[in-house]
Amino acid sequence: MSSTATQITPEVVAEHGLSPEEYDRVLKAIGREPNLTELGIFSVMWSEHCSYKSSKIHLMKLPTKGPQVICGPGENAGVVDIGDGQAAIFKMESHNHPSYIEPYQGAATGVGGILRDVFTMGARPVANMNALRFGRPDHPKMKHLIAGVVHGIGGYGNCVGVPTVGGEVNFHPAYDGNILVNAMTVGVADTDKIFYSAASGVGNPIVYVGSKTGRDGIHGATMASADFGEDSEEKRPTVQVGDPFTEKLLIEACLELMASDAIVAIQDMGAAGLTSSSVEMASKGGVGLHLKMDDVPQRETGMTAYEMMLSESQERMLMVLKPGREAFAEGIFRKWELDFAVIGHVTDTGRMVLEHKGEIVCDIPLAPLADDAPLYDRPSMPKDAYKLWAKVEPLGETPESADIGADLVTLMGSPDIASRRWIWEQYDHMVGADTVQRPGGDAAVVRVHGSNKGIAISTDCTPRYCYADPYEGGKQAIAECYRNLSAVGSTPLAVTNCLNFANPQRPEIMAQLTGCLEGMGDACRALDFPIVSGNVSLYNESKATGGGSAILPTPAIGGIGLLADIDIMATVAFKDEGDAIWLIGGEGAHLGQSIWLREVAGREAGDAPPVDLAAERAHADMVRALVAEGTVNAVHDISDGGLLVTIAEMALAGGKGATLDAPLTTAAAFGEDQARYIVTAPAGADIPGATKIGTVGGDSVAGVALTTLRTAHEGFFPALMNNEL
């Protein structure tokens, strides 16, 4: 496929995901008809996945600054100060479309990509998290998808030697034809050794390192910017293939080179591969570049410039080096058995020039590719119209539970609450020996190596709330993450996100996106919890399931907090017989959109629970103070399933039951009112502003034996994966 031979027809333009109007913009930008290579470069850079053309104007409204923020959105990852001359560098990204097509490699390369985003900034990765969404457990494809995704995440993370310390999993029919795989990585770097991506220095060498380029992943970014048709299986060639062992070598080689003064700029090759990395580096630096495609390391014969520029082969980086440092850098990468090649240089032209086999195969201005990509303010349904469209039934009267204990057993074994042990046991969550709070609690905690500081990490989102009320759902996603970080005793620092929505060209979907973002923004401002990085994944819907089903709006939130001393940290497990159980935040009353309503009453109805941000802040402050003082010995925030599920989880974690002081109504037992926590403290301790509701002890909760609860809680995933459901 030559760069010039193929005629650019409307059909070719459409195959590249560009609208006729966008193609007209390409013609104006370059002043002539593009060749195929140039068209391909515009198509991936202007894809939804790379340009954020439907969301950017709304993302700009989010709060991104704070005294702790060293670098906000716009770089490979966000950077926050954690004291002592150190920074935490973190981000979350999606690999949804590839993971549905080829679950193992899709999930694995999602982990590889987010690891590169973090270590490209000079950080050593210390922890991975994930946020997963699957369809109905009994859907014929779902077991295959779950097994592939979980093994892909575990396989890559375990091999590369970074612990996977937690995450979240939800199930809903809306994800039958489009599962979500969001991966998050946290790393630690010295604040004076952070690397950025802006290229500079005319004449400086541009260097390619890592693995050779193949034909895998071509059009991956374009594929991820469209919904699934009935031919989703045919898109398997667009999925990249990862090699975690090479990634480990790449991490070590990059960090070794970063310890020197050789690097001017560095960028990983993620979506859109060599195209996006080179364009982003040059445009951020306001420079041009000249690349010789013959010098790109290739693992397949006869590759065209088009293929090399659009390949998404994994485990690759692009760097600008200081002049004269090429041999030094090459020595490091050869030592680690990685490819190293000088493939071009920085120019002052502001253009991307590609040379292949003695011919100029691309010569286009860089500014339109990055800075002048289309931006759309898509029509958005008004809130009242959205409510009508969403067809969320009013809650109405809900009968009292006939058997609170039986309902508790049902909930503890239900897909969204059941133990995730089967999943996290596939992950090496202890590699590196710095994991101090394992999966299963409110937040994971990882020690900052060589210190007693800890980084708390949580991923959160409740899509059913976001569907029923995007604004309150967006608020709640931030608030729950804030609660989880506070529950272990950490000070919440900042947020990354992965905004998963369906087709933005539908006004009802834009209503979900803008509503969620508005709620997230208000929550972040109220809680001093800025958003420093993130990713947008749109067109998450599928005709493959027969109805054009859109996913639930899923703005997944990844948050980190700082523990000054990991010895002063709370966990969810009940500690001692006779400890008093206290409720912070008042009795539950809200059953709308609750797990109880769905799993027991068989309804998805009512409003999402309202989020009082002042109460969230006040109660979180209170909890952190109680942990710091040593007043409480167990903490768990109340979320899915309400108060009684929270207490049951604490009881199972500690192997001790609970006696409650008074019978519970259905709403008090299972209501999902926000800004609430359960804490325990030794008998005789007083907790002003909290209500004592019971005592730790015995071998049951709400009259149900712990053994019965444990069987229900631990049974779902093994039964599902063993074909016993």
Side-chain angles (χ1 to χ4, degrees), residues 580-593:
I581 302 171
W582 296 82
L583 167 64
I584 296 171
E587 187 171 88
H590 193 95
L591 287 172
Q593 297 302 325

Side-chain angles (χ1 to χ4, degrees), residues 58-399:
H58 304 290
L59 296 174
M60 291 189 288
K61 302 170 189 173
L62 293 171
T64 59
K65 294 184 170 53
Q68 71 277 44
V69 178
I70 295 173
C71 176
E75 274 293 336
N76 286 292
V79 187
V80 293
D81 196 324
I82 58 171
D84 307 308
Q86 293 177 304
I89 298 180
F90 68 111
K91 189 183 179 186
M92 182 188 276
E93 262 192 357
S94 62
H95 238 225
N96 304 333
H97 291 67
S99 298
Y100 181 78
I101 298 165
E102 214 308 305
Y104 185 95
Q105 290 296 347
T109 51
V111 173
I114 196 63
L115 281 165
R116 287 193 297 281
D117 275 338
V118 167
F119 76 74
T120 194
M121 297 194 71
R124 178 171 289 282
V126 297
N128 290 330
M129 296 277 281
N130 53 69
L132 312 176
R133 303 289 185 289
F134 296 109
R136 290 166 292 163
D138 59 356
H139 187 280
K141 282 193 74 166
M142 213 49 57
K143 181 186 165 187
H144 162 73
L145 291 169
I146 296 166
V149 165
V150 170
H151 289 116
I153 291 169
Y156 203 99
N158 297 354
C159 293
V160 87
V162 178
T164 301
V165 294
E168 58 167 347
V169 187
N170 287 152
F171 294 84
H172 193 278
Y175 305 104
D176 280 356
N178 198 130
I179 62 173
L180 303 185
V181 177
N182 298 169
M184 175 179 173
T185 294
V186 181
V188 175
D190 292 340
T191 52
D192 60 353
K193 291 179 182 165
I194 295 168
F195 290 80
Y196 298 98
S197 58
S200 63
V202 173
N204 280 351
I206 298 171
V207 172
Y208 173 120
V209 300
S211 290
K212 289 180 170 63
T213 296
R215 290 186 170 95
D216 54 320
I218 293 173
H219 289 301
T222 311
M223 175 271 292
S225 304
D227 56 13
F228 281 138
E230 291 167 6
D231 61 346
S232 61
E233 292 295 322
E234 296 171 19
K235 297 183 184 290
R236 187 166 279 113
T238 62
V239 179
Q240 315 93 324
V241 177
D243 178 356
F245 300 105
T246 301
E247 182 100 342
K248 175 65 176 171
L249 300 176
L250 189 61
I251 293 172
E252 298 304 330
C254 286
L255 292 177
E256 185 173 337
L257 184 61
M258 287 166 166
S260 74
D261 64 349
I263 298 175
V264 174
I266 182 168
Q267 176 78 27
D268 79 294
M269 293 193 221
L274 186 51
T275 292
S276 66
S277 54
S278 57
V279 170
E280 286 170 14
M281 290 177 81
S283 59
K284 284 177 184 173
V287 296
L289 51 87
H290 187 118
L291 302 182
K292 291 191 173 182
M293 305 308 294
D294 305 83
D295 297 334
V296 171
Q298 300 157 55
R299 70 167 187 262
E300 299 186 47
T301 57
M303 290 192 73
T304 63
Y306 177 98
E307 291 169 331
M308 285 185 266
M309 291 303 293
L310 268 62
S311 163
E312 295 184 7
S313 297
Q314 297 292 287
E315 294 84 40
R316 305 179 299 158
M317 311 288 280
L318 198 65
M319 301 182 189
V320 176
L321 298 183
K322 291 180 179 177
R325 304 291 277 164
E326 298 95 321
F328 169 74
E330 182 171 7
I332 291 174
F333 282 90
R334 297 294 182 198
K335 180 183 77 176
W336 289 100
E337 300 178 342
L338 295 166
D339 277 281
F340 178 100
V342 177
I343 64 167
H345 61 275
V346 177
T347 68
D348 61 0
T349 63
R351 300 180 73 82
M352 170 183 271
V353 178
L354 307 180
E355 187 180 341
H356 191 218
K357 297 184 176 178
E359 177 190 0
I360 300 298
V361 296
C362 169
D363 185 353
I364 53 179
L366 280 157
L369 285 171
D371 304 330
D372 301 333
L375 284 183
Y376 297 122
D377 188 358
R378 305 242 189 230
S380 177
M381 218 178 239
K383 289 182 180 178
D384 290 347
Y386 174 79
K387 284 258 184 198
L388 290 171
W389 173 85
K391 297 185 174 63
V392 178
E393 293 176 29
L395 181 62
E397 292 294 316
T398 53

Side-chain angles (χ1 to χ4, degrees), residues 11 55 61 71 107 127 151 187 220 305 317 331 395 413 420 434 451 468 529 535 555 587 623 642 645 670:
E11 289 75 24
S55 57
K61 302 170 189 173
C71 176
H151 289 116
M317 311 288 280
L395 181 62
R420 272 70 179 125
D434 281 322
S451 78
F529 199 29
N535 171 240
E587 187 171 88
V623 166
V645 165
F670 304 116

